[in-house]
Amino acid sequence: MDLEEIYRLAVDFRRYFHRKPEVAEQEYETQAYITDVLQRYGIAYTTVGTGIIARVGQGALCVALRGEMDALRVKEATGLPFASENEGMMHACGHDMHLAMVLAVTIALKQQEPLLQKTVKIVFQPSEEKRPGGARLLLPELLKDPVPRAIFAQHVYPGLPTGCVGVRSGAFFASSDNIIFSVEGKGTHAAMPQNGSDPILATACLIQFYQTLVTKFRNPLTPAVVSVTSVHGGTANNVIPDRVDVKGTVRTHDNELRDRIFELIDEKSEAICGLYGCRFKRDKTMNGLPVLMNDRLLTEQFVGRAGYLLGQEHVRLMEPLTLGEDFAIYLQSIPGVMWVLGVCPPIQDAMPPLHNPGFSPDEEAMRTGIVMLLDCVNRFPVN
């Protein structure tokens, strides 16, 4: 198959996936469609939950590719002729394009199978948008013999024009953790606060303190974000409630700082709440994402190959991103690279961001993505 044939396949796949989005842990129709395509081309596969790991080629040398299956609960507003047919769901993060490119590349690899001289495992991963994430579900199966010596993936990126790729060695995407906690006090009439303990006041002090985690407890050269995004407590203007429930997020590019932030949250929050006669209770289910760490040598090789194939002017060395990505889970066990794929149409200076109802990436960008996926497989290992 030539590039144009692979690209046309990818376009057809992408438009199907875009019309039929399914959210995390419900990717049943998506799974059925992919397995039907794999069977049609005689490609072996294993299912894990709603996920799939396909296999092409043979031999102890193994390399892996990954694409995601799930969509978001977003009401689409793109006006595309192949817009979502599933009410309130949309591929607003580009997973339809990731999936389409990987599926088209899988077919191309099958057709060149006698020349591969290696095993290629292709991961069709569910539940990237929901924690604990589909990567944790599929990783044990992926690590069965032959174990991949490298894994590659890409993510569409509206901040770069079509035809460009961006990458960073080492810490690229941030860790991503939820803060979920409650502050419990003693409710009372608002006109008689001395008869109770005010969890709203204690929560306000906690929120102020959490901002100091990134201003006073962090090396200022290490990126980090602590944001409280949801506060719910009380139902009436004249009643101090018994409880306040709070949610937020923590992002950083340093796994030691990630752990230290939560140590400080637990240690200091209990003391602060105690000042107001309240109790702090945090959900300690740690199912967030670590920092996404691209392998140094593989990234250097990727940059060199991308410059050769696309032209150096189309390869951007990126600053760290505060987005989270569960591809980081694979990279804890397998060296690899994730890069970002420019999808901003050349006629536009800017476009709606990821997770936006109007997000509409340029399909032409898939040509670049396909070229790089195939090259990562065919050229690995690069001497």
Side-chain angles (χ1 to χ4, degrees), residues 108-306:
L109 290 170
K110 180 65 177 179
Q111 295 197 352
Q112 68 176 60
E113 192 169 36
L115 304 175
L116 272 178
Q117 297 183 334
K118 67 190 72 168
T119 300
V120 185
K121 293 183 178 180
I122 304 95
V123 180
F124 300 92
Q125 182 201 303
S127 194
E128 195 281 327
E129 297 286 355
K130 184 178 180 180
R131 304 299 168 251
R136 289 187 171 95
L137 173 68
L138 268 65
L139 183 61
E141 182 68 27
L142 183 61
L143 290 177
K144 292 180 179 179
D145 286 335
V147 177
R149 285 175 49 188
I151 185 167
F152 300 97
Q154 58 189 337
H155 201 297
V156 298
Y157 190 64
L160 289 178
T162 295
C164 289
V165 295
V167 72
R168 180 182 178 84
S169 180
F172 189 14
F173 285 59
S175 63
S176 176
D177 293 291
N178 295 326
I179 314 173
I180 303 174
F181 67 87
S182 63
V183 178
E184 297 179 354
K186 181 182 178 183
T188 185
H189 196 295
M192 295 180 285
Q194 73 278 11
N195 293 335
S197 53
D198 190 342
I200 291 179
L201 177 59
T203 300
C205 292
L206 285 180
I207 293 171
Q208 287 186 308
F209 167 70
Y210 291 161
Q211 302 313 301
T212 71
L213 294 174
V214 294
T215 60
K216 299 299 181 184
F217 293 88
R218 170 188 66 97
N219 183 329
L221 300 179
T222 303
V225 173
V226 178
S227 296
V228 173
T229 56
S230 174
V231 180
H232 289 272
T235 56
N237 68 301
N238 59 352
V239 178
I240 292 174
D242 290 316
R243 175 183 172 122
V244 175
D245 294 305
V246 184
K247 295 179 181 178
T249 189
V250 176
R251 309 288 174 106
T252 181
H253 288 87
D254 184 289
N255 282 320
E256 289 186 13
L257 176 60
R258 176 194 186 205
D259 294 337
R260 180 59 178 151
I261 285 173
F262 280 95
E263 288 174 3
L264 288 166
I265 286 175
D266 289 338
E267 175 187 336
K268 305 299 184 183
S269 298
E270 292 178 7
I272 290 170
C273 287
L275 294 173
Y276 301 95
C278 295
R279 296 176 301 280
F280 174 81
K281 294 186 176 181
R282 182 171 74 84
D283 180 351
K284 295 186 180 182
T285 306
M286 195 68 167
N287 57 11
L289 301 177
V291 180
L292 187 149
M293 300 289 292
N294 277 337
D295 181 80
R296 181 190 59 80
L297 179 58
L298 290 175
T299 302
E300 289 177 0
Q301 294 172 345
F302 175 85
V303 169
R305 291 295 304 167

Side-chain angles (χ1 to χ4, degrees), residues 1 40 73 80 88 90 115 172 182 317 327 345 354 366:
M1 296 178 72
R40 202 183 320 148
R73 292 194 181 278
L80 291 169
M90 177 191 173
L115 304 175
F172 189 14
S182 63
L317 301 181
F327 190 69
L354 298 169
M366 291 196 293

Side-chain angles (χ1 to χ4, degrees), residues 160-169 298-319 337 339-342 368 371-372:
L160 289 178
T162 295
C164 289
V165 295
V167 72
R168 180 182 178 84
S169 180
L298 290 175
T299 302
E300 289 177 0
Q301 294 172 345
F302 175 85
V303 169
R305 291 295 304 167
Y308 172 75
L309 293 166
L310 309 177
Q312 292 293 343
E313 70 277 13
H314 294 113
V315 183
R316 309 291 173 82
L317 301 181
M318 303 284 289
E319 294 298 317
V337 179
W339 64 93
V340 292
L341 178 69
T368 303
V371 165
M372 294 315 305

